[in-house]
Amino acid sequence: MNFIINETAQKLRGGYYTPIDLATFLCQWVLEIKPKRVLEPSCGDGVFFSGLRDAGASPKLSVTGFELNEEEAAKSKERAAQLGLSATKVHATDFLGWALENRKTKGELFDAVVGNPPFVRYQYLPEPFQAKAERVFRELELPFTKHTNAWVPFILASMTMLRPGGRLAMVVPSEIIHVMHAQSLRSYLGRECSRLVVVDPEELWFEGTLQGAVLLLAEKRRDSSEKAQGLGIYEVRGRDFLKESPAKIFATTHPINGKTVAGKWTRAFLNSETRNLVDELEAHPDVHRFSKVADVDVGIVTGANKFFLVDDYTVQTHGLERWAHPMFGRSEHCPGIIYDAKQHAANAEKGKPTNFLWFQDEAPLRYKKAKGYIEAGEAESLHTRYKCRIRSPWFKVPSVYSTEIGMLKRSHDLPRLILNEVGAYTTDTAYRIRVLNGTSAEQLVGSFINGLTSLSAELEGRHYGGGVLELVPSEIEKLLLPLPKNGRVDLRQLDNNIRSMSSQDFLTANTRIVLGDLGLSESKQDCILAGWKRLRDRRHRVSSELDAVEAVF
Ligand SMILES: C[S@@+](CC[C@H](N)C(=O)[O-])C[C@H]1O[C@@H](n2cnc3c(N)ncnc32)[C@H](O)[C@@H]1O
């Protein structure tokens, strides 16, 4: 978790500037429609003004720029003057406030929007900006969430400033493709635009940030009779694409509609054969959404993991045996899919925190050593932490139960379910899974490892710095899970394979069994596996969240 106090001023205003070659490329594309009025909603030091001139804009082109930071606004004004852009106006003020007002008064519309909106988390925005961001969603009747980021309302407001048939060309965070909080924006763009193209680079364009960026080219529908064709993704490596005509890229990148635009755009990375196959399998009677087969609940929230999750040595030293219960919570604690007594003993032997301290009342205070342990926690102010201070006594962790199956929140290659043979507890790094009627825990754990489920995890999940995949419960519920009748997976064998083989190899081997039992040919299985690999590889190279997280599995 990052705190605002630790953030640089540059990061807090979202001040990472666009390289001129990318700006010029985007300007080239919008100039194709011969715009008379162009908007740059957050112009920084004015690199897009240079881009416009480099791409051949007339000095008389009317350009309206906004920039909150006065120093930067002054720089961009000076740049416009040097470029001879005599009809350019830069307002050193907030763009969102202006856009809302302009919409209310049905003010001016623009033929084109270019730029690179600020990347600032909603929680870091000053309150008046938060209110304006929320108003943008409300006025467009779009669902709002406080998980949003400044770039989302910026693009929405920019779209409202665009005339029908106008073009928006922007550098945007690559997380536009998959983050849940951008769903309103994706749906809105899908509806409002005749065509969308995302230029997706293999590398990170902005040094010094982990933030991946893409180029968004969007053309607004001329009227309601014009078809919304959907989204196409154009994947590029290096800067060679800048030599191509943006108009050609826009016209020739095949757009996909329907499901792809309605949800996360990750589906657009798959070829049509794979997309059709996923849809075909979704309709198979033995393929289920995860929520039809099992319940997902978050793990135990202790509020102070270092205090409550401890090794054997700590238990012995402080006489905590009667409150110590087995637990696991990290992928290295369980490299396979079975958490059994042998694995637990091996973890304990290595000094891992294999004990969860469950104090159910004030009884430990009656024991000298245990009382000392609790007082040591208080000396570290653990009892004043939010999760601890709202319960009484502060060291009594609520909602303690274990389930037959655990699932780690994060994975490096693919998610897996873990059969919890020793009834170990899991904390907030893992989910608790309960099987619903008719399916056995073993069957669920064994069938879960297959190309289709792994691919749907890539389609539903989100990823972080370092390319780690994370699934929240609502995403897990949507996973596609084949459960062939008379499932043949040998759990012990699979557990061994996972511990000894590469993920690609054990996934392929188990896919042959699980999807093979559904009657799917090997070539179709390979198509699904190739789709998974493609998305997994892309995730590993693109980072999309500023928080660094540890690599797991
Ligand atoms: C990612 S930078 C991009 C600057 C420039 N468009 C470029 O591409 O180099 C975003 C800019 O938005 C500015 N900004 C942040 N909040 C703003 C707001 N509410 N209104 C106008 N500008 C804002 C920041 O100061 C920063 O210069």
Side-chain angles (χ1 to χ4, degrees):
M1 174 81 182
N2 286 344
F3 292 99
I4 195 163
I5 199 158
N6 300 328
E7 301 293 1
T8 60
Q10 184 188 29
K11 208 158 126 184
L12 284 176
R13 76 177 169 91
Y16 291 94
Y17 291 169
T18 306
I20 180 68
D21 54 349
L22 298 180
T24 306
F25 178 83
L26 292 172
C27 292
Q28 253 177 302
W29 182 65
V30 301
L31 287 182
E32 213 203 4
I33 59 165
K34 300 196 171 35
K36 293 202 170 55
R37 299 152 72 83
V38 176
L39 169 70
E40 209 308 14
S42 55
C43 60
D45 67 357
V47 69
F48 274 88
F49 301 165
S50 298
L52 284 166
R53 289 292 279 141
D54 289 356
S58 149
K60 296 210 178 80
L61 177 69
S62 161
V63 183
T64 304
F66 288 85
E67 173 53 53
L68 198 54
N69 182 297
E70 287 196 10
E71 248 172 65
E72 299 304 300
K75 283 189 207 163
S76 64
K77 271 184 206 168
E78 200 179 312
R79 191 194 289 233
Q82 278 169 4
L83 291 164
L85 283 166
S86 54
T88 293
K89 283 200 189 78
V90 175
H91 304 278
T93 179
D94 160 43
F95 165 66
L96 285 188
W98 178 84
L100 284 163
E101 202 45 42
N102 190 58
R103 200 173 127 79
K104 203 158 79 188
T105 57
K106 298 213 169 14
E108 55 187 324
L109 291 180
F110 295 86
D111 304 303
V113 183
V114 290
N116 171 357
F119 182 95
V120 186
R121 292 174 181 198
Y122 175 83
Q123 79 208 70
Y124 290 174
L125 291 173
E127 222 177 279
F129 293 99
Q130 290 187 340
K132 282 179 216 167
E134 195 169 341
R135 238 180 85 195
V136 171
F137 285 83
R138 224 181 26 243
E139 296 208 351
L140 296 175
E141 294 175 21
L142 295 172
F144 169 76
T145 150
K146 287 191 170 150
H147 292 118
T148 195
N149 189 302
W151 62 268
V152 179
F154 253 74
I155 301 179
L156 288 171
S158 298
M159 281 297 297
T160 67
M161 299 284 95
L162 206 54
R163 68 151 165 88
R167 285 184 171 182
L168 175 142
M170 284 183 147
V171 178
V172 301
S174 56
E175 64 179 26
I176 189 174
I177 289 169
H178 69 273
V179 283
M180 287 230 278
H181 74 71
Q183 188 54 53
S184 288
L185 173 66
R186 286 191 292 267
S187 312
Y188 182 78
L189 289 172
R191 279 196 305 274
E192 291 290 312
C193 296
S194 52
R195 184 187 272 245
L196 294 155
V197 169
V198 166
V199 178
D200 180 57
E202 188 166 304
E203 58 282 324
L204 296 177
W205 278 331
F206 290 81
E207 276 175 33
T209 77
L210 278 176
Q211 182 60 51
V214 297
L215 304 183
L216 173 68
L217 310 180
E219 190 165 78
K220 199 166 178 172
R221 285 159 75 197
R222 276 162 198 82
D223 52 50
S224 54
S225 69
E226 187 175 13
K227 188 169 177 263
Q229 298 170 41
L231 162 87
I233 293 190
Y234 187 73
E235 291 177 82
V236 298
R237 178 186 288 180
R239 295 288 228 253
D240 276 356
F241 76 97
L242 294 172
K243 293 184 204 134
E244 295 171 47
S245 137
K248 191 168 159 220
I249 291 176
F250 188 72
T252 55
T253 304
H254 181 64
I256 308 156
N257 216 323
K259 270 188 186 175
T260 309
V261 205
K264 295 192 180 193
W265 287 350
T266 324
R267 255 176 80 97
F269 289 107
L270 302 176
N271 59 29
S272 59
E273 187 192 355
T274 315
R275 285 197 311 273
N276 292 340
L277 203 45
V278 171
D279 293 344
E280 188 187 306
L281 284 168
E282 191 184 334
H284 192 289
D286 291 339
V287 174
H288 311 274
R289 290 279 172 199
F290 194 85
S291 57
K292 290 272 174 289
V293 180
D295 262 347
V296 189
D297 196 3
V298 293
I300 299 166
V301 180
T302 68
N305 280 353
K306 280 212 173 97
F307 178 84
F308 291 102
L309 314 179
V310 295
D311 57 13
D312 281 358
Y313 177 76
T314 308
V315 171
Q316 284 149 19
T317 314
H318 298 277
L320 299 167
E321 288 80 358
R322 73 188 65 201
W323 299 285
H325 300 268
M327 65 90 41
F328 71 88
R330 289 177 175 276
S331 67
E332 74 254 26
H333 297 173
C334 185
I337 46 155
I338 301 177
Y339 194 75
D340 55 11
K342 193 170 149 219
Q343 179 69 56
H344 188 69
N347 291 348
E349 178 84 2
K350 284 192 197 134
K352 307 262 186 224
T354 47
N355 302 283
F356 163 58
L357 298 179
W358 187 17
F359 305 116
Q360 295 176 53
D361 49 32
E362 302 207 343
L365 297 175
R366 295 202 298 272
Y367 297 80
K368 195 165 165 228
K369 281 186 177 175
K371 186 167 181 254
Y373 185 73
I374 288 169
E375 284 170 354
E378 287 167 2
E380 287 183 44
S381 303
L382 299 183
H383 60 304
T384 64
R385 290 192 183 175
Y386 178 69
K387 293 279 180 208
C388 299
R389 72 168 187 261
I390 56 170
R391 59 200 189 209
S392 176
W394 70 268
F395 45 83
K396 180 182 170 186
V397 175
S399 180
V400 176
Y401 65 92
S402 72
T403 50
E404 255 184 304
I405 300 175
M407 176 182 178
L408 296 173
K409 270 185 184 174
R410 290 175 175 165
S411 51
H412 185 60
D413 275 340
L414 52 116
R416 66 207 147 113
L417 302 179
I418 295 169
L419 191 68
N420 184 6
E421 284 192 346
V422 292
Y425 292 110
T426 52
T427 59
D428 46 3
T429 53
Y431 299 118
R432 291 178 277 191
I433 311 277
R434 270 189 289 222
V435 189
L436 300 174
N437 45 356
T439 311
S440 75
E442 286 77 8
Q443 193 191 3
L444 185 59
V445 171
S447 304
F448 192 84
I449 303 287
N450 71 85
L452 179 64
T453 304
S454 301
L455 172 56
S456 74
E458 295 293 338
L459 293 171
E460 302 297 347
R462 74 274 308 280
H463 49 83
Y464 289 88
V468 172
L469 176 71
E470 180 177 300
L471 292 155
V472 299
S474 61
E475 292 162 346
I476 297 170
E477 285 167 359
K478 288 189 213 141
L479 296 182
L480 291 175
L481 185 72
L483 280 178
K485 295 182 185 74
N486 315 317
R488 291 183 296 123
V489 177
D490 175 339
L491 270 199
R492 293 278 157 195
Q493 180 64 50
L494 177 59
D495 186 60
N496 279 336
N497 288 353
I498 293 177
R499 289 164 190 265
S500 59
M501 290 161 77
S502 74
S503 50
Q504 174 129 16
D505 287 349
F506 74 71
L507 182 63
T508 304
N510 219 48
T511 299
R512 293 279 180 262
I513 302 174
V514 179
L515 295 187
D517 282 353
L518 288 190
L520 199 71
S521 70
E522 287 201 2
S523 70
K524 286 186 172 180
Q525 293 172 28
D526 288 342
C527 175
I528 291 284
L529 286 164
W532 162 74
K533 186 171 178 311
R534 186 166 160 66
L535 295 184
R536 192 271 321 253
D537 290 350
R538 180 181 177 275
R539 165 167 62 77
H540 279 176
R541 69 178 160 71
V542 181
S543 305
S544 65
E545 171 73 23
L546 295 170
D547 288 342
V549 290
E550 63 193 310
V552 287
F553 193 23

